[in-house]
Amino acid sequence: MDIRCPISPQSTRFLNRLRNFIRLRGLAYKTEKTYVFWIKCFVGSFEASGCVQPGRGQTGN
């Protein structure tokens, strides 16, 4: 059986803030794990493809 680990409410890490948000909404632990998994895959796909956010002056305005 999976047990949720405690997270500090003052944490600044994105995934910890996401987990706190999900827990405050009363969503299931399975939902929390699924959301975190898909966000990690999404971010990982950008890192693997070499995509980066454009800096100032690179937006094409």
Side-chain angles (χ1 to χ4, degrees):
M1 183 167 123
D2 289 333
I3 299 174
R4 292 181 182 190
C5 58
I7 301 171
S8 169
Q10 289 79 26
S11 179
T12 57
R13 295 185 65 204
F14 174 73
L15 289 178
N16 287 344
R17 292 179 65 195
L18 173 69
R19 287 182 179 105
N20 280 329
F21 180 83
I22 291 170
R23 292 176 186 186
L24 286 172
R25 300 301 182 270
L27 299 176
Y29 182 51
K30 177 75 174 174
T31 302
E32 176 183 330
K33 288 181 10 179
T34 302
Y35 281 26
V36 170
F37 171 80
W38 281 110
I39 289 172
K40 285 181 179 180
C41 287
F42 181 76
V43 171
S45 69
F46 279 98
E47 290 175 354
S49 68
C51 293
V52 294
Q53 274 190 317
R56 290 186 180 168
Q58 296 177 341
T59 57
N61 289 343

